[in-house]
Amino acid sequence: MINPSKIVEGGVEYSLGTFTGTELIYDFSKILTYLEAKGKLLFGKKFRIIDEDHLTWYKLANYFIKDQEKCHKYNIDTDKGILLSGPVGCGKTSMMRLLKHLVPHQRPYEVIPARNIVFGFNLIGYKIIEDYGKSGLFCFDDLGIEPEGKFFGNDCNVMGELLLSRHDLFLNHNLKTHLTTNLNANELEERYGSRVRSRMRQAYNLIAFPKNAKDKRN
């Protein structure tokens, strides 16, 4: 019988909690141990999870394992996507790349830099918005620092248009999208407009690092 509380990485078995036969009871300290080990495999031996970030990890882990009681405490809706906000270098991208490995039984999302989508638009035009906007599970990374799109002389706020398409997927097909950004709510509205910002409130859980979060790249 497969035990869903166990994950094997690099030949080492990690426990995420206790499996009763019908229910998996997660242990956050064990989750952190696994995520740090997986992080070292993905990002190098210097990767570590610092104490100051534990609350952010806690909120996100409970979202991904769908612990409804703990999510309710932090006003997190597991039917919505994640909007992970924080200063440059605080570890947003690493978090979103890591956390999908915590729930291997769930359909994984792909982490795509927003600037890459704009570069694609500049090459092939509106088909890129259609391709990313009609299906699939994605985390659009570094939203807000991408350049403006331009195709045959026509300017386009590519990610703004794509977010509107993804919102339709959320409403009509319960398909979630995740985002990471360095921008705050006002800056997002300035960048993408009130229409997009309004839909973001409906479709995303805002989880934010403290403004003084450390830059892990230093």
Side-chain angles (χ1 to χ4, degrees), residues 17-191:
T18 305
F19 184 55
T20 66
T22 57
E23 181 184 12
L24 175 51
I25 302 170
Y26 285 93
D27 181 322
F28 182 61
S29 64
K30 292 180 178 179
I31 286 175
L32 285 183
T33 298
Y34 164 70
L35 289 174
E36 184 162 85
K38 181 65 174 178
K40 289 181 187 299
L41 290 173
L42 288 177
F43 312 124
K45 293 181 179 179
K46 290 185 178 180
F47 177 85
R48 65 189 184 94
I49 295 175
I50 64 173
D51 292 347
E52 291 92 331
D53 291 342
H54 278 194
L55 180 57
T56 307
W57 283 106
Y58 184 73
K59 291 177 181 178
L60 288 166
N62 283 312
Y63 168 85
F64 280 101
I65 66 175
K66 298 185 178 181
D67 188 319
Q68 300 297 342
E69 182 179 344
K70 293 184 176 71
C71 283
H72 180 73
K73 177 181 176 182
Y74 290 101
N75 197 29
I76 295 171
D77 184 343
T78 56
D79 291 328
K80 295 182 179 183
I82 291 292
L83 170 56
L84 184 58
S85 173
V88 173
C90 66
K92 301 180 296 296
T93 304
S94 299
M95 277 186 165
M96 295 307 292
R97 286 182 61 191
L98 256 180
L99 280 156
K100 62 181 179 178
H101 296 284
L102 179 61
V103 283
H105 55 284
Q106 294 181 22
R107 184 182 169 194
Y109 53 84
E110 189 176 356
V111 179
I112 307 287
R115 66 180 182 278
N116 288 9
I117 295 173
V118 176
F119 295 155
F121 175 86
N122 294 344
L123 286 173
I124 66 173
Y126 289 89
K127 185 179 185 300
I128 201 80
I129 298 176
E130 181 182 339
D131 288 346
Y132 282 104
K134 67 182 180 182
S135 63
L137 292 177
F138 300 106
C139 172
F140 299 129
D141 189 35
D142 273 341
L143 181 73
I145 65 168
E146 74 280 356
E148 195 79 1
K150 187 180 287 287
F151 185 68
F152 281 104
N154 296 315
D155 293 335
C156 179
N157 189 331
V158 176
M159 292 308 300
E161 293 298 323
L162 182 52
L163 290 174
L164 291 175
S165 296
R166 298 296 302 186
H167 184 262
D168 290 339
L169 280 179
F170 170 72
L171 289 182
N172 299 320
H173 301 286
N174 300 314
L175 206 58
K176 294 181 287 190
T177 306
H178 304 308
L179 308 168
T180 76
T181 185
N182 302 333
L183 306 186
N184 61 35
N186 291 333
E187 291 168 332
L188 285 169
E189 184 165 340
E190 184 177 335
R191 181 78 168 80

